[in-house]
Amino acid sequence: MSRPKNQNYKGHGLSKGKERQQRASIRFKTTLMNTLMDVLRHRPGWVEVKDEGEWDFYWCDVSWLRENFDHTYMDEHVRISHFRNHYELTRKNYMVKNLKRFRKQLEREAGKLEAAKCDFFPKTFEMPCEYHLFVEEFRKNPGITWIMKPDTRSSDDQKDDIPVENYVAQRYIENPYLIGGRKFDLRVYVLVMSGCKWMLQRFRQYLASKHGPEAVETLFRDIDNIFVKSLQSVQKVIISDKHCFELYGYDILIDQDLKPWLLEVNASPSLTASSQEDYELKTCLLEDTLHVVDMEARLTGREKRVGGFDLMWNDGPVSREEGAPDLSGMGNFVTNTHLGCVNDRKKQLRQLFCSLQVQKKASS
C-alpha cells in the first residue's frame, strides 16, 4: 500500500511489507508508566520507540486517539489500543441509550423473552432530556433511592474545558451481595478483536460453597450474557477498524438474588497495580492481550482459548465443542467461556505455542 499524498498524515509501519507477515521485531510505544510498560519491555523481540519514531504497536490514551487518529496513516499490520468512538459503550449515558435501543430492536425482531436478556442494567435516565420520564418513575416508586451523577466528560473524552451540564439518574441497587458485610463489584476485562481484590476463581468457589454449583453456573452465564448483549448493542455504531482493539473494564454488581447488574464499562481500566497479587494479575492480563492481538503473527485465528481469554463470539456464539453445532434449538450447546474456572494458564500457553511451531515446521 502506498503512502497517501496528503502531507498532513503521519506514517507508521511504512517499511513493513505483507500483512500478518511474521516479524523479527515489533516497535512499540506507550506513555503509560505502569504494569503495561513492564510487560511491553519484557516481551521478546519488542523494542521501545520514543517521541516521533515510527511504531508498529501503540497503547495510546483516548486523548491521543481523538487528536491524531484521522491524521495518521497506518500500515496493515499496525495496531492501537482503542476504537475511535469507544465512548458509545464507555460513557454511561451512551451505553444506556444503546442498550435501550437494542432491547427495543430485540423485542421487535425476536420477542419479549429475548429482549428481557438485556435487563441487566439499573433503570437510568439522562437529564435534562428525560426529566419528565424520571419524575414519572420517581412518583410511581416514592421509596426508591436514586444516584445522581454529573455526566461531564472524563479528562480523556473532554474536547474542551467547558463541562457538559448533563446528569445521569440511576436507580440504586439496594440489596447488593455482601461478603464479610462489605459491598463490592467485579472488574472483568473483556478484549474486543477482567477495596479487597479476589481472583474470579476464588470468588466463584466462595459462591459455589454457599449457593451450590447450579446457581453459580447460572450467575456466570448471566454475566457472559452481559458482555455479548452490551457489545451487540453498539456493534452498528462503533467505527470498526482493523488497526484497533479494545480492552474494556466491565464493572458488575451482584445483588442478593445472584443477579448481575452492569454499572459501567471503562475504556481505560487502571493498569497500575495496588499490590503484588494485583501486579501479577495485570501482568498476565496484558501478556495475554498481546498474545491475542498477535503482532508476531503466530496464531492461526482458530484458537478458542489463549491464556486467560476465551473466544466467546465469532459471528455467533462459540461452542466449547469442536465442529459447527446445530444452533437451531441450541440443544446441548455450551458457550466457550470459563469465567472464574481453574485455568493452568502457563501450561496452556506452552502447549499452544509449541503446537503452532510444530504445525509451522510441518508445513514448511
Side-chain angles (χ1 to χ4, degrees):
M1 179 180 289
S2 61
R3 183 174 181 174
K5 294 181 180 179
N6 186 339
Q7 296 304 308
N8 291 328
Y9 277 65
K10 300 175 185 176
H12 294 284
L14 299 177
S15 62
K16 298 298 180 182
K18 187 178 176 183
E19 182 182 11
R20 308 309 295 154
Q21 178 179 309
Q22 286 199 333
R23 297 170 190 85
S25 65
I26 306 295
R27 300 165 297 179
F28 75 86
K29 182 177 179 180
T30 186
T31 57
L32 305 179
M33 300 299 294
N34 50 32
T35 311
L36 173 66
M37 181 62 83
D38 292 345
V39 171
L40 292 171
R41 284 177 173 170
H42 286 91
R43 195 165 180 85
W46 286 50
V47 180
E48 184 177 0
V49 171
K50 296 183 178 180
D51 301 322
E52 295 300 313
E54 288 188 2
W55 43 266
D56 305 305
F57 179 94
Y58 188 12
W59 196 292
C60 63
D61 56 41
V62 293
S63 60
W64 179 92
L65 192 81
R66 184 179 62 245
E67 295 165 8
N68 296 281
F69 188 93
D70 291 329
H71 307 291
T72 302
Y73 168 72
M74 290 178 280
D75 203 3
E76 297 284 349
H77 71 284
V78 169
R79 295 294 179 268
I80 60 174
S81 61
H82 291 291
F83 291 99
R84 270 182 287 179
N85 60 339
H86 60 88
Y87 50 79
E88 292 284 354
L89 189 60
T90 57
R91 284 186 60 193
K92 186 170 286 190
N93 59 330
Y94 282 25
M95 178 189 81
V96 171
K97 175 197 71 175
N98 285 311
L99 283 168
K100 285 180 178 178
R101 176 185 48 75
F102 185 60
R103 192 191 192 287
K104 288 180 180 177
Q105 177 187 331
L106 283 178
E107 189 167 342
R108 286 194 310 270
E109 298 175 357
K112 292 184 177 180
L113 194 61
E114 186 66 22
K117 293 180 180 179
C118 288
D119 293 340
F120 49 72
F121 59 98
K123 189 157 287 188
T124 306
F125 298 94
E126 185 176 0
M127 308 293 207
C129 62
E130 294 184 324
Y131 174 76
H132 294 295
L133 293 174
F134 169 68
V135 170
E136 182 181 339
E137 184 70 24
F138 187 83
R139 288 174 176 167
K140 203 186 303 180
N141 299 283
I144 297 298
T145 302
W146 295 83
I147 300 175
M148 298 284 288
K149 292 185 177 180
D151 184 36
T152 51
R153 297 174 184 267
S154 69
S155 58
D156 285 336
D157 290 330
Q158 192 93 25
K159 290 185 178 178
D160 49 46
D161 295 327
I162 303 173
V164 180
E165 294 182 355
N166 287 344
Y167 286 83
V168 170
Q170 188 167 73
R171 182 170 176 169
Y172 177 68
I173 306 298
E174 300 194 36
N175 62 333
Y177 195 92
L178 305 178
I179 295 182
R182 295 189 175 187
K183 178 182 170 182
F184 63 95
D185 57 32
L186 303 180
R187 163 59 59 81
V188 184
Y189 297 97
V190 177
L191 179 61
V192 179
M193 270 293 258
S194 184
C196 176
K197 295 179 181 176
W198 277 9
M199 297 287 284
L200 273 178
Q201 179 183 332
R202 183 180 171 193
F203 175 64
R204 185 167 186 153
Q205 290 171 344
Y206 172 85
L207 291 179
S209 68
K210 292 199 66 174
H211 304 281
E214 289 186 7
V216 174
E217 187 67 31
T218 298
L219 166 64
F220 277 81
R221 188 165 60 244
D222 290 343
I223 293 175
D224 292 335
N225 175 68
I226 289 177
F227 304 146
V228 172
K229 289 294 189 289
S230 61
L231 290 168
Q232 284 180 324
S233 76
V234 297
Q235 186 175 10
K236 293 182 179 179
V237 293
I238 290 288
I239 302 171
S240 181
D241 190 298
K242 62 188 172 187
H243 299 106
C244 305
F245 68 93
E246 193 89 45
L247 181 66
Y248 291 115
Y250 276 67
D251 287 342
I252 295 172
L253 178 73
I254 297 171
D255 67 21
Q256 292 176 2
D257 299 321
L258 294 189
K259 176 179 173 64
W261 297 90
L262 176 60
L263 299 182
E264 62 182 339
V265 182
N266 297 277
S268 301
S270 173
L271 298 176
T272 300
S274 58
S275 65
Q276 182 60 34
E277 185 180 50
D278 192 36
Y279 180 83
E280 292 170 2
L281 181 153
K282 287 176 177 172
T283 296
C284 293
L285 163 74
L286 291 167
E287 286 176 348
D288 292 346
T289 297
L290 299 179
H291 290 327
V292 175
V293 174
D294 193 27
M295 293 297 297
E296 299 91 344
R298 295 180 294 178
L299 302 181
T300 65
R302 298 187 297 273
E303 291 79 10
K304 288 189 176 182
R305 175 184 274 184
V306 178
F309 283 113
D310 303 318
L311 178 63
M312 292 180 59
W313 194 270
N314 187 12
D315 290 331
V318 177
S319 171
R320 287 188 189 180
E321 304 301 324
E322 295 300 326
D326 177 17
L327 300 182
S328 56
M330 294 298 283
N332 296 321
F333 182 88
V334 179
T335 55
N336 181 52
T337 178
H338 306 78
L339 194 62
C341 297
V342 175
N343 178 16
D344 188 346
R345 173 181 169 273
K346 291 184 178 179
K347 180 180 178 181
Q348 185 256 335
L349 287 172
R350 278 198 305 269
Q351 291 175 340
L352 171 65
F353 288 114
C354 179
S355 174
L356 289 170
Q357 286 180 337
V358 171
Q359 292 177 34
K360 182 181 175 184
K361 288 179 181 177
S363 62
S364 59

